[in-house]
Amino acid sequence: MKGEEVAPSNGNPARGGFHPIDGMRDWWADAPHWQRYGVYLALIVLALILPAPWVGSFMSPDSDWTTVLIFPVGTYILLAVGLNIVVGHAGMLDLGYVAFFAIGAYTWASIGTSYGWSFWPTVLLGIFLASVSGVILGAPTLRLRGDYLAIVTLGFGEIVRITANNTDSIGGARGITNVPHPEPIFGVEFFLDPAPYYYLMLFAIVLVIVFSVRLNKSRVGRAWAAIREDEDAAELMGVPTFKFKLLAFAIGAMIGGFAGTIYASKAVFIEPNNFPFILSATILAAVVLGGSGNLPGVIIGAFVIAWLPERFRFLSEYRILIFGFVLVLMMALRPEGILPSRQRKAELREGTGGMGAMGAEVAGPDSEASAEVTK
Amino acid sequence: MFQDLQSQFLGSTIGGLVAGSIYALIALGYTMVYGVLRLINFAHSEIFMIGTMTSLFILVTIAPTAPFTIFSMIGILLLLIVASALVSGGSAIVLEQLAYRPLRKKGATRLAALISAIGASLFLQEAFGLKIIPWLFDKPGRVQQPAPRFVPHEELFRIGNGVVRTDHVFVIIGAVIVMVVLDQLVSRTRIGRGIRATAQDPEAAVLMGVSIDRIVRITFLLGGAMAGVAAALFVMEYENTDYRIGFLLGIKAFTAAVLGGIGNLRGALLGGIVLGLVENWSSIFLGSAWKDVTAFVVLVLVLMFRPTGILGESLQRARA
């Protein structure tokens, strides 16, 4: 990823740290095309054979591995890639991302049950409705910054859930049952066998990843980076910040809606409680845990967050307790994530990547302020 | 509908003031921590939950019986407030030490701290649901826990057609006293000056000899104690709690803090009261199922026109 090459560490080993994966990243940055496409191909082949039973016998001994790969693993990855555009690229904190997921899911569930539309055009409608709701939410609120935006998006997530809960025409609190499966396409039947859904999900993930990478390397991606780093400076340099923030929001929403329609087509039954705030928090945790702004990191983060509770299902009721503990621990050990974006890391030393350092200026013995004092 | 409004307006105004006082007390914790660290302390809702459990535990242990005299009511309430404030404040300090301080020392982003807070919140909820509630009360942990009554929920007097009950009076007076104390603490004492200085400019505060770590600890203690007071009043007023009680109240309180202008103590008070009133008024027209939706819609509307809340940000200017 040539776009991520940055100036070397400015001689601050305490903050920068050495990562064993750095060598691999250097190789990747210089790798010729054929090597890169080789890696892409290998990854796709890996993904194609991933549902194999012998993998599953280790990865998820307690539940059906292919089903686990669709939900939560695939769904979380799709959502995390979408949220990464909002949080990682444009630097806006969205705590209600699950709302778009819910809108996508409800679009297919209500249209599929009431009007009997075909699934494939309805996916597009779900994506469209989610992006429209993103714009409706974003247009009045994106002038807000940081934490104000966070609480408004959180509120939006709750509004969508409570509205679904109170609206009888879409099932109210009982939800929607007998959501139809997609129609056969290219001779592939979608019914009880989870495998076709897995390949559908995989196709969606690859599509979204390619879209996200291309977008981030375009003029749009550079505008987002500028906004993330310093919104006022970006505005002064002639970046129409509002427009680009709205775009990031709408695209994030589209991907959320896309994930929702696929989820609903597999789930058969959906209800408002499928879309709690905690799901938004979990997806955000996946993005941050993996390394906000860095796509491979985000995917690994989503995989880990989705897979760990499934793998440790035998711990049954202690799963969430341990999950919470692991989140605290991981953040204490690697606050920048498992596989942080190099660009973001370089930015972090100077600025704060749009999120602001948490009292970095009061950080402790090695902070600038205390250095001044002890001089 | 106009008839409904006329007959229920005063009643729901009183209900709104009671709920708003509790929101405001919890919101103070969010706003103080935000003012000093620029951090959304998401686990603050669990600090509140711990407070309600403390109050409930004391109530179950002393098992108050009727008839209730004014002295026994005030005595028990004071005991609950002090105990919950101590336990919640203490938990807030422990939380800061374990979940935030390591991140602060590394100069992590606030996003990382937010995830840590969400993790801590999940951990505390589950720990109470699984182990601590069964251990404290000898009951299943994941069900609603009723609290014994020690203040009669009876009419004291009427304002128009709005009934004011004894417990309403206690909640509002209790909240007002605690807020005045906090206001004086932040605006007049040395500790309060340290808090305001840190909120204004942490670097300058360090240079002026303020111990940041100490101020952060005190801020968490005070915020946690406010949540503890809110918890004691909540248990008295609504007479139940459960291991997830903090979630909705925490979101509401945070909304209240943002509504008033986060980082601003008086803003938190105003935001809490406004939120409580609006919620209760709206349920006259729309029914209580839409109460939470109107709360957030009001938030969005206010922020559209006042992007930093009703009173604006900053702990140092508009003091407590």
PDB file of all heavy atoms in Angstrom, chain A residues 93 147-148 151 166 277 318 321 324 331-333 335 355-356 358 362-363, chain B residues 34 103-106 108 110 119 127 131 202 247 254 258 289-290 313:
ATOM      1  N   LEU A  93     -16.857   9.972  15.152  1.00  0.00           N
ATOM      2  CA  LEU A  93     -17.229   8.909  16.069  1.00  0.00           C
ATOM      3  C   LEU A  93     -18.718   8.604  15.926  1.00  0.00           C
ATOM      4  O   LEU A  93     -19.552   9.461  16.181  1.00  0.00           O
ATOM      5  CB  LEU A  93     -16.893   9.327  17.504  1.00  0.00           C
ATOM      6  CG  LEU A  93     -17.104   8.286  18.589  1.00  0.00           C
ATOM      7  CD1 LEU A  93     -16.499   6.958  18.182  1.00  0.00           C
ATOM      8  CD2 LEU A  93     -16.500   8.758  19.887  1.00  0.00           C
ATOM      9  N   ASP A 147     -17.648  14.486  20.370  1.00  0.00           N
ATOM     10  CA  ASP A 147     -18.539  13.785  21.279  1.00  0.00           C
ATOM     11  C   ASP A 147     -19.996  14.164  21.084  1.00  0.00           C
ATOM     12  O   ASP A 147     -20.879  13.381  21.406  1.00  0.00           O
ATOM     13  CB  ASP A 147     -18.096  14.066  22.705  1.00  0.00           C
ATOM     14  CG  ASP A 147     -16.670  13.646  22.906  1.00  0.00           C
ATOM     15  OD1 ASP A 147     -16.371  12.490  22.601  1.00  0.00           O
ATOM     16  OD2 ASP A 147     -15.850  14.477  23.320  1.00  0.00           O
ATOM     17  N   TYR A 148     -20.249  15.343  20.572  1.00  0.00           N
ATOM     18  CA  TYR A 148     -21.629  15.699  20.298  1.00  0.00           C
ATOM     19  C   TYR A 148     -22.176  14.814  19.193  1.00  0.00           C
ATOM     20  O   TYR A 148     -23.300  14.333  19.257  1.00  0.00           O
ATOM     21  CB  TYR A 148     -21.735  17.170  19.902  1.00  0.00           C
ATOM     22  CG  TYR A 148     -21.439  18.081  21.040  1.00  0.00           C
ATOM     23  CD1 TYR A 148     -20.185  18.597  21.246  1.00  0.00           C
ATOM     24  CD2 TYR A 148     -22.435  18.400  21.949  1.00  0.00           C
ATOM     25  CE1 TYR A 148     -19.917  19.418  22.316  1.00  0.00           C
ATOM     26  CE2 TYR A 148     -22.189  19.210  23.021  1.00  0.00           C
ATOM     27  CZ  TYR A 148     -20.924  19.726  23.206  1.00  0.00           C
ATOM     28  OH  TYR A 148     -20.667  20.518  24.271  1.00  0.00           O
ATOM     29  N   ILE A 151     -22.954  11.287  20.617  1.00  0.00           N
ATOM     30  CA  ILE A 151     -24.207  11.084  21.351  1.00  0.00           C
ATOM     31  C   ILE A 151     -25.393  11.178  20.413  1.00  0.00           C
ATOM     32  O   ILE A 151     -26.382  10.460  20.576  1.00  0.00           O
ATOM     33  CB  ILE A 151     -24.321  12.058  22.539  1.00  0.00           C
ATOM     34  CG1 ILE A 151     -25.550  11.746  23.395  1.00  0.00           C
ATOM     35  CG2 ILE A 151     -24.418  13.491  22.099  1.00  0.00           C
ATOM     36  CD1 ILE A 151     -25.475  10.498  24.156  1.00  0.00           C
ATOM     37  N   ASN A 166     -42.066  -0.018  18.363  1.00  0.00           N
ATOM     38  CA  ASN A 166     -43.396   0.541  18.595  1.00  0.00           C
ATOM     39  C   ASN A 166     -44.268   0.587  17.346  1.00  0.00           C
ATOM     40  O   ASN A 166     -45.393   1.067  17.415  1.00  0.00           O
ATOM     41  CB  ASN A 166     -43.282   1.973  19.143  1.00  0.00           C
ATOM     42  CG  ASN A 166     -42.683   2.003  20.538  1.00  0.00           C
ATOM     43  OD1 ASN A 166     -42.650   0.980  21.212  1.00  0.00           O
ATOM     44  ND2 ASN A 166     -42.205   3.147  20.955  1.00  0.00           N
ATOM     45  N   PHE A 277     -27.766  -1.300  21.156  1.00  0.00           N
ATOM     46  CA  PHE A 277     -26.604  -0.409  21.172  1.00  0.00           C
ATOM     47  C   PHE A 277     -25.306  -1.193  21.290  1.00  0.00           C
ATOM     48  O   PHE A 277     -24.296  -0.834  20.701  1.00  0.00           O
ATOM     49  CB  PHE A 277     -26.720   0.575  22.346  1.00  0.00           C
ATOM     50  CG  PHE A 277     -25.424   1.209  22.709  1.00  0.00           C
ATOM     51  CD1 PHE A 277     -24.862   2.179  21.884  1.00  0.00           C
ATOM     52  CD2 PHE A 277     -24.732   0.838  23.847  1.00  0.00           C
ATOM     53  CE1 PHE A 277     -23.655   2.753  22.202  1.00  0.00           C
ATOM     54  CE2 PHE A 277     -23.521   1.411  24.168  1.00  0.00           C
ATOM     55  CZ  PHE A 277     -22.982   2.368  23.347  1.00  0.00           C
ATOM     56  N   TYR A 318     -19.981 -17.056  31.000  1.00  0.00           N
ATOM     57  CA  TYR A 318     -18.870 -16.175  31.342  1.00  0.00           C
ATOM     58  C   TYR A 318     -18.273 -15.470  30.131  1.00  0.00           C
ATOM     59  O   TYR A 318     -17.347 -14.683  30.250  1.00  0.00           O
ATOM     60  CB  TYR A 318     -17.773 -16.962  32.063  1.00  0.00           C
ATOM     61  CG  TYR A 318     -18.200 -17.411  33.429  1.00  0.00           C
ATOM     62  CD1 TYR A 318     -18.733 -18.671  33.631  1.00  0.00           C
ATOM     63  CD2 TYR A 318     -18.103 -16.553  34.514  1.00  0.00           C
ATOM     64  CE1 TYR A 318     -19.156 -19.074  34.878  1.00  0.00           C
ATOM     65  CE2 TYR A 318     -18.514 -16.938  35.765  1.00  0.00           C
ATOM     66  CZ  TYR A 318     -19.045 -18.199  35.941  1.00  0.00           C
ATOM     67  OH  TYR A 318     -19.475 -18.587  37.176  1.00  0.00           O
ATOM     68  N   LEU A 321     -18.420 -11.613  30.158  1.00  0.00           N
ATOM     69  CA  LEU A 321     -17.556 -11.136  31.234  1.00  0.00           C
ATOM     70  C   LEU A 321     -16.106 -11.112  30.758  1.00  0.00           C
ATOM     71  O   LEU A 321     -15.398 -10.107  30.877  1.00  0.00           O
ATOM     72  CB  LEU A 321     -17.701 -12.073  32.433  1.00  0.00           C
ATOM     73  CG  LEU A 321     -16.945 -11.681  33.688  1.00  0.00           C
ATOM     74  CD1 LEU A 321     -17.791 -10.740  34.504  1.00  0.00           C
ATOM     75  CD2 LEU A 321     -16.607 -12.908  34.523  1.00  0.00           C
ATOM     76  N   GLY A 324     -15.444  -8.505  28.003  1.00  0.00           N
ATOM     77  CA  GLY A 324     -15.247  -7.165  28.552  1.00  0.00           C
ATOM     78  C   GLY A 324     -13.852  -7.003  29.117  1.00  0.00           C
ATOM     79  O   GLY A 324     -13.169  -5.993  28.869  1.00  0.00           O
ATOM     80  N   MET A 331      -6.760  -2.872  25.254  1.00  0.00           N
ATOM     81  CA  MET A 331      -6.570  -1.435  25.099  1.00  0.00           C
ATOM     82  C   MET A 331      -5.432  -0.945  25.982  1.00  0.00           C
ATOM     83  O   MET A 331      -4.694  -0.037  25.614  1.00  0.00           O
ATOM     84  CB  MET A 331      -7.867  -0.694  25.452  1.00  0.00           C
ATOM     85  CG  MET A 331      -8.905  -0.794  24.370  1.00  0.00           C
ATOM     86  SD  MET A 331      -8.347  -0.033  22.839  1.00  0.00           S
ATOM     87  CE  MET A 331      -8.390  -1.405  21.730  1.00  0.00           C
ATOM     88  N   ALA A 332      -5.274  -1.572  27.159  1.00  0.00           N
ATOM     89  CA  ALA A 332      -4.175  -1.167  28.033  1.00  0.00           C
ATOM     90  C   ALA A 332      -2.836  -1.561  27.424  1.00  0.00           C
ATOM     91  O   ALA A 332      -1.848  -0.834  27.547  1.00  0.00           O
ATOM     92  CB  ALA A 332      -4.343  -1.804  29.412  1.00  0.00           C
ATOM     93  N   LEU A 333      -2.806  -2.729  26.737  1.00  0.00           N
ATOM     94  CA  LEU A 333      -1.536  -3.200  26.188  1.00  0.00           C
ATOM     95  C   LEU A 333      -1.210  -2.540  24.863  1.00  0.00           C
ATOM     96  O   LEU A 333      -0.074  -2.148  24.603  1.00  0.00           O
ATOM     97  CB  LEU A 333      -1.577  -4.721  26.012  1.00  0.00           C
ATOM     98  CG  LEU A 333      -1.699  -5.513  27.313  1.00  0.00           C
ATOM     99  CD1 LEU A 333      -1.826  -6.999  27.016  1.00  0.00           C
ATOM    100  CD2 LEU A 333      -0.510  -5.249  28.214  1.00  0.00           C
ATOM    101  N   PRO A 335      -2.987   0.294  22.871  1.00  0.00           N
ATOM    102  CA  PRO A 335      -4.085   1.242  22.637  1.00  0.00           C
ATOM    103  C   PRO A 335      -4.251   1.624  21.170  1.00  0.00           C
ATOM    104  O   PRO A 335      -5.319   2.079  20.773  1.00  0.00           O
ATOM    105  CB  PRO A 335      -3.702   2.448  23.491  1.00  0.00           C
ATOM    106  CG  PRO A 335      -2.276   2.263  23.840  1.00  0.00           C
ATOM    107  CD  PRO A 335      -1.982   0.811  23.786  1.00  0.00           C
ATOM    108  N   MET A 355      -9.256  12.156  16.828  1.00  0.00           N
ATOM    109  CA  MET A 355     -10.017  11.716  17.984  1.00  0.00           C
ATOM    110  C   MET A 355      -9.576  12.416  19.255  1.00  0.00           C
ATOM    111  O   MET A 355     -10.219  12.314  20.277  1.00  0.00           O
ATOM    112  CB  MET A 355      -9.858  10.208  18.170  1.00  0.00           C
ATOM    113  CG  MET A 355     -10.624   9.422  17.162  1.00  0.00           C
ATOM    114  SD  MET A 355     -12.362   9.814  17.264  1.00  0.00           S
ATOM    115  CE  MET A 355     -12.915   9.152  15.725  1.00  0.00           C
ATOM    116  N   GLY A 356      -8.455  13.061  19.201  1.00  0.00           N
ATOM    117  CA  GLY A 356      -7.988  13.749  20.389  1.00  0.00           C
ATOM    118  C   GLY A 356      -7.330  12.789  21.353  1.00  0.00           C
ATOM    119  O   GLY A 356      -7.830  11.696  21.569  1.00  0.00           O
ATOM    120  N   MET A 358      -6.346  11.389  24.900  1.00  0.00           N
ATOM    121  CA  MET A 358      -7.038  11.452  26.172  1.00  0.00           C
ATOM    122  C   MET A 358      -6.059  11.964  27.210  1.00  0.00           C
ATOM    123  O   MET A 358      -5.277  11.231  27.788  1.00  0.00           O
ATOM    124  CB  MET A 358      -7.472  10.044  26.509  1.00  0.00           C
ATOM    125  CG  MET A 358      -8.006   9.882  27.886  1.00  0.00           C
ATOM    126  SD  MET A 358      -7.779   8.164  28.274  1.00  0.00           S
ATOM    127  CE  MET A 358      -8.365   8.146  29.919  1.00  0.00           C
ATOM    128  N   VAL A 362      -1.297  15.490  29.725  1.00  0.00           N
ATOM    129  CA  VAL A 362      -1.079  15.287  31.154  1.00  0.00           C
ATOM    130  C   VAL A 362      -0.616  13.853  31.388  1.00  0.00           C
ATOM    131  O   VAL A 362      -0.815  13.282  32.433  1.00  0.00           O
ATOM    132  CB  VAL A 362      -2.361  15.558  31.974  1.00  0.00           C
ATOM    133  CG1 VAL A 362      -2.744  16.997  31.857  1.00  0.00           C
ATOM    134  CG2 VAL A 362      -3.498  14.676  31.538  1.00  0.00           C
ATOM    135  N   ALA A 363       0.020  13.297  30.353  1.00  0.00           N
ATOM    136  CA  ALA A 363       0.205  11.855  30.332  1.00  0.00           C
ATOM    137  C   ALA A 363       1.099  11.308  31.431  1.00  0.00           C
ATOM    138  O   ALA A 363       0.901  10.217  31.888  1.00  0.00           O
ATOM    139  CB  ALA A 363       0.752  11.427  28.995  1.00  0.00           C
TER     140      ALA A 363
ATOM    141  N   TYR B  34     -15.532  14.599  31.771  1.00  0.00           N
ATOM    142  CA  TYR B  34     -15.306  15.141  30.430  1.00  0.00           C
ATOM    143  C   TYR B  34     -14.550  16.463  30.504  1.00  0.00           C
ATOM    144  O   TYR B  34     -13.629  16.729  29.728  1.00  0.00           O
ATOM    145  CB  TYR B  34     -16.628  15.335  29.688  1.00  0.00           C
ATOM    146  CG  TYR B  34     -16.402  15.725  28.264  1.00  0.00           C
ATOM    147  CD1 TYR B  34     -16.221  14.758  27.294  1.00  0.00           C
ATOM    148  CD2 TYR B  34     -16.292  17.059  27.883  1.00  0.00           C
ATOM    149  CE1 TYR B  34     -15.966  15.095  25.999  1.00  0.00           C
ATOM    150  CE2 TYR B  34     -16.037  17.411  26.586  1.00  0.00           C
ATOM    151  CZ  TYR B  34     -15.874  16.425  25.652  1.00  0.00           C
ATOM    152  OH  TYR B  34     -15.608  16.773  24.355  1.00  0.00           O
ATOM    153  N   LEU B 103      -3.961   3.803  29.925  1.00  0.00           N
ATOM    154  CA  LEU B 103      -4.112   4.415  28.605  1.00  0.00           C
ATOM    155  C   LEU B 103      -3.608   5.843  28.622  1.00  0.00           C
ATOM    156  O   LEU B 103      -2.979   6.316  27.675  1.00  0.00           O
ATOM    157  CB  LEU B 103      -5.584   4.395  28.197  1.00  0.00           C
ATOM    158  CG  LEU B 103      -6.098   3.029  27.817  1.00  0.00           C
ATOM    159  CD1 LEU B 103      -7.600   2.976  27.909  1.00  0.00           C
ATOM    160  CD2 LEU B 103      -5.661   2.685  26.413  1.00  0.00           C
ATOM    161  N   ARG B 104      -3.901   6.531  29.706  1.00  0.00           N
ATOM    162  CA  ARG B 104      -3.482   7.925  29.819  1.00  0.00           C
ATOM    163  C   ARG B 104      -1.958   8.019  29.787  1.00  0.00           C
ATOM    164  O   ARG B 104      -1.391   8.890  29.146  1.00  0.00           O
ATOM    165  CB  ARG B 104      -4.019   8.482  31.130  1.00  0.00           C
ATOM    166  CG  ARG B 104      -4.445   9.898  31.095  1.00  0.00           C
ATOM    167  CD  ARG B 104      -5.629  10.135  32.000  1.00  0.00           C
ATOM    168  NE  ARG B 104      -5.467   9.631  33.353  1.00  0.00           N
ATOM    169  CZ  ARG B 104      -4.700  10.214  34.283  1.00  0.00           C
ATOM    170  NH1 ARG B 104      -4.027  11.301  33.999  1.00  0.00           N
ATOM    171  NH2 ARG B 104      -4.616   9.715  35.484  1.00  0.00           N
ATOM    172  N   LYS B 105      -1.309   7.081  30.478  1.00  0.00           N
ATOM    173  CA  LYS B 105       0.148   7.109  30.544  1.00  0.00           C
ATOM    174  C   LYS B 105       0.766   6.856  29.179  1.00  0.00           C
ATOM    175  O   LYS B 105       1.882   7.259  28.911  1.00  0.00           O
ATOM    176  CB  LYS B 105       0.647   6.059  31.541  1.00  0.00           C
ATOM    177  CG  LYS B 105       0.215   6.309  32.951  1.00  0.00           C
ATOM    178  CD  LYS B 105       0.817   7.590  33.508  1.00  0.00           C
ATOM    179  CE  LYS B 105       0.281   7.855  34.907  1.00  0.00           C
ATOM    180  NZ  LYS B 105       0.526   9.238  35.338  1.00  0.00           N
ATOM    181  N   LYS B 106       0.040   6.128  28.343  1.00  0.00           N
ATOM    182  CA  LYS B 106       0.576   5.838  27.011  1.00  0.00           C
ATOM    183  C   LYS B 106       0.194   6.895  26.001  1.00  0.00           C
ATOM    184  O   LYS B 106       0.534   6.767  24.822  1.00  0.00           O
ATOM    185  CB  LYS B 106       0.071   4.480  26.531  1.00  0.00           C
ATOM    186  CG  LYS B 106       0.712   3.321  27.236  1.00  0.00           C
ATOM    187  CD  LYS B 106       0.303   2.022  26.570  1.00  0.00           C
ATOM    188  CE  LYS B 106       1.020   0.852  27.228  1.00  0.00           C
ATOM    189  NZ  LYS B 106       0.663  -0.408  26.623  1.00  0.00           N
ATOM    190  N   ALA B 108      -2.781   7.422  24.785  1.00  0.00           N
ATOM    191  CA  ALA B 108      -3.671   6.798  23.803  1.00  0.00           C
ATOM    192  C   ALA B 108      -4.757   7.768  23.362  1.00  0.00           C
ATOM    193  O   ALA B 108      -5.024   8.765  24.031  1.00  0.00           O
ATOM    194  CB  ALA B 108      -4.316   5.560  24.420  1.00  0.00           C
ATOM    195  N   ARG B 110      -8.612   9.037  22.632  1.00  0.00           N
ATOM    196  CA  ARG B 110      -9.818   8.916  23.437  1.00  0.00           C
ATOM    197  C   ARG B 110     -10.699   7.792  22.937  1.00  0.00           C
ATOM    198  O   ARG B 110     -11.484   7.223  23.689  1.00  0.00           O
ATOM    199  CB  ARG B 110     -10.569  10.232  23.420  1.00  0.00           C
ATOM    200  CG  ARG B 110      -9.906  11.244  24.310  1.00  0.00           C
ATOM    201  CD  ARG B 110     -10.225  12.634  23.903  1.00  0.00           C
ATOM    202  NE  ARG B 110     -11.636  12.787  23.692  1.00  0.00           N
ATOM    203  CZ  ARG B 110     -12.150  13.662  22.851  1.00  0.00           C
ATOM    204  NH1 ARG B 110     -11.366  14.435  22.152  1.00  0.00           N
ATOM    205  NH2 ARG B 110     -13.432  13.759  22.716  1.00  0.00           N
ATOM    206  N   GLY B 119     -15.623  -1.988  27.507  1.00  0.00           N
ATOM    207  CA  GLY B 119     -15.217  -3.281  28.051  1.00  0.00           C
ATOM    208  C   GLY B 119     -15.457  -3.361  29.548  1.00  0.00           C
ATOM    209  O   GLY B 119     -16.024  -4.327  30.053  1.00  0.00           O
ATOM    210  N   ALA B 127     -20.432  -9.216  35.787  1.00  0.00           N
ATOM    211  CA  ALA B 127     -19.980  -9.655  37.108  1.00  0.00           C
ATOM    212  C   ALA B 127     -21.133  -9.551  38.106  1.00  0.00           C
ATOM    213  O   ALA B 127     -21.332 -10.448  38.921  1.00  0.00           O
ATOM    214  CB  ALA B 127     -18.798  -8.802  37.566  1.00  0.00           C
ATOM    215  N   LYS B 131     -22.520 -13.139  39.400  1.00  0.00           N
ATOM    216  CA  LYS B 131     -21.994 -13.548  40.705  1.00  0.00           C
ATOM    217  C   LYS B 131     -22.426 -12.654  41.855  1.00  0.00           C
ATOM    218  O   LYS B 131     -22.860 -13.136  42.889  1.00  0.00           O
ATOM    219  CB  LYS B 131     -20.440 -13.536  40.646  1.00  0.00           C
ATOM    220  CG  LYS B 131     -19.864 -14.701  39.886  1.00  0.00           C
ATOM    221  CD  LYS B 131     -19.894 -15.961  40.722  1.00  0.00           C
ATOM    222  CE  LYS B 131     -19.688 -17.188  39.848  1.00  0.00           C
ATOM    223  NZ  LYS B 131     -20.274 -18.390  40.418  1.00  0.00           N
ATOM    224  N   PRO B 202      -4.474  21.871  31.028  1.00  0.00           N
ATOM    225  CA  PRO B 202      -3.734  20.888  31.829  1.00  0.00           C
ATOM    226  C   PRO B 202      -2.243  21.206  31.928  1.00  0.00           C
ATOM    227  O   PRO B 202      -1.643  21.048  32.991  1.00  0.00           O
ATOM    228  CB  PRO B 202      -3.964  19.580  31.087  1.00  0.00           C
ATOM    229  CG  PRO B 202      -5.074  19.820  30.154  1.00  0.00           C
ATOM    230  CD  PRO B 202      -5.160  21.273  29.889  1.00  0.00           C
ATOM    231  N   PHE B 247     -27.677   1.165  32.054  1.00  0.00           N
ATOM    232  CA  PHE B 247     -27.563   1.440  30.622  1.00  0.00           C
ATOM    233  C   PHE B 247     -28.448   2.600  30.186  1.00  0.00           C
ATOM    234  O   PHE B 247     -27.954   3.631  29.714  1.00  0.00           O
ATOM    235  CB  PHE B 247     -27.884   0.178  29.826  1.00  0.00           C
ATOM    236  CG  PHE B 247     -27.895   0.428  28.353  1.00  0.00           C
ATOM    237  CD1 PHE B 247     -26.707   0.692  27.691  1.00  0.00           C
ATOM    238  CD2 PHE B 247     -29.076   0.437  27.633  1.00  0.00           C
ATOM    239  CE1 PHE B 247     -26.706   0.946  26.337  1.00  0.00           C
ATOM    240  CE2 PHE B 247     -29.075   0.694  26.282  1.00  0.00           C
ATOM    241  CZ  PHE B 247     -27.890   0.952  25.630  1.00  0.00           C
ATOM    242  N   PHE B 254     -26.126  11.039  30.054  1.00  0.00           N
ATOM    243  CA  PHE B 254     -25.130  11.589  29.140  1.00  0.00           C
ATOM    244  C   PHE B 254     -25.794  12.546  28.157  1.00  0.00           C
ATOM    245  O   PHE B 254     -25.252  13.617  27.842  1.00  0.00           O
ATOM    246  CB  PHE B 254     -24.410  10.457  28.413  1.00  0.00           C
ATOM    247  CG  PHE B 254     -23.318  10.944  27.523  1.00  0.00           C
ATOM    248  CD1 PHE B 254     -22.294  11.699  28.042  1.00  0.00           C
ATOM    249  CD2 PHE B 254     -23.332  10.691  26.169  1.00  0.00           C
ATOM    250  CE1 PHE B 254     -21.285  12.185  27.231  1.00  0.00           C
ATOM    251  CE2 PHE B 254     -22.333  11.159  25.356  1.00  0.00           C
ATOM    252  CZ  PHE B 254     -21.303  11.910  25.882  1.00  0.00           C
ATOM    253  N   VAL B 258     -24.877  16.468  27.571  1.00  0.00           N
ATOM    254  CA  VAL B 258     -24.612  17.079  26.270  1.00  0.00           C
ATOM    255  C   VAL B 258     -25.622  18.185  25.979  1.00  0.00           C
ATOM    256  O   VAL B 258     -25.289  19.240  25.445  1.00  0.00           O
ATOM    257  CB  VAL B 258     -24.639  16.013  25.158  1.00  0.00           C
ATOM    258  CG1 VAL B 258     -24.537  16.650  23.791  1.00  0.00           C
ATOM    259  CG2 VAL B 258     -23.513  15.029  25.352  1.00  0.00           C
ATOM    260  N   ALA B 289     -44.378   4.768  25.509  1.00  0.00           N
ATOM    261  CA  ALA B 289     -43.490   3.971  24.661  1.00  0.00           C
ATOM    262  C   ALA B 289     -42.560   4.864  23.845  1.00  0.00           C
ATOM    263  O   ALA B 289     -41.461   4.453  23.481  1.00  0.00           O
ATOM    264  CB  ALA B 289     -44.315   3.085  23.736  1.00  0.00           C
ATOM    265  N   TRP B 290     -42.993   6.088  23.552  1.00  0.00           N
ATOM    266  CA  TRP B 290     -42.184   6.975  22.706  1.00  0.00           C
ATOM    267  C   TRP B 290     -41.340   7.956  23.506  1.00  0.00           C
ATOM    268  O   TRP B 290     -40.685   8.822  22.935  1.00  0.00           O
ATOM    269  CB  TRP B 290     -43.090   7.746  21.747  1.00  0.00           C
ATOM    270  CG  TRP B 290     -43.738   6.855  20.749  1.00  0.00           C
ATOM    271  CD1 TRP B 290     -44.978   6.315  20.837  1.00  0.00           C
ATOM    272  CD2 TRP B 290     -43.179   6.377  19.517  1.00  0.00           C
ATOM    273  NE1 TRP B 290     -45.230   5.528  19.743  1.00  0.00           N
ATOM    274  CE2 TRP B 290     -44.144   5.548  18.922  1.00  0.00           C
ATOM    275  CE3 TRP B 290     -41.953   6.563  18.878  1.00  0.00           C
ATOM    276  CZ2 TRP B 290     -43.926   4.906  17.703  1.00  0.00           C
ATOM    277  CZ3 TRP B 290     -41.729   5.931  17.670  1.00  0.00           C
ATOM    278  CH2 TRP B 290     -42.715   5.103  17.091  1.00  0.00           C
ATOM    279  N   GLU B 313     -19.933  24.809  26.462  1.00  0.00           N
ATOM    280  CA  GLU B 313     -18.984  23.943  27.154  1.00  0.00           C
ATOM    281  C   GLU B 313     -18.256  24.664  28.293  1.00  0.00           C
ATOM    282  O   GLU B 313     -18.527  25.808  28.572  1.00  0.00           O
ATOM    283  CB  GLU B 313     -17.913  23.449  26.176  1.00  0.00           C
ATOM    284  CG  GLU B 313     -18.466  22.591  25.089  1.00  0.00           C
ATOM    285  CD  GLU B 313     -17.348  21.932  24.305  1.00  0.00           C
ATOM    286  OE1 GLU B 313     -16.186  22.100  24.700  1.00  0.00           O
ATOM    287  OE2 GLU B 313     -17.646  21.267  23.332  1.00  0.00           O
TER     288      GLU B 313
END
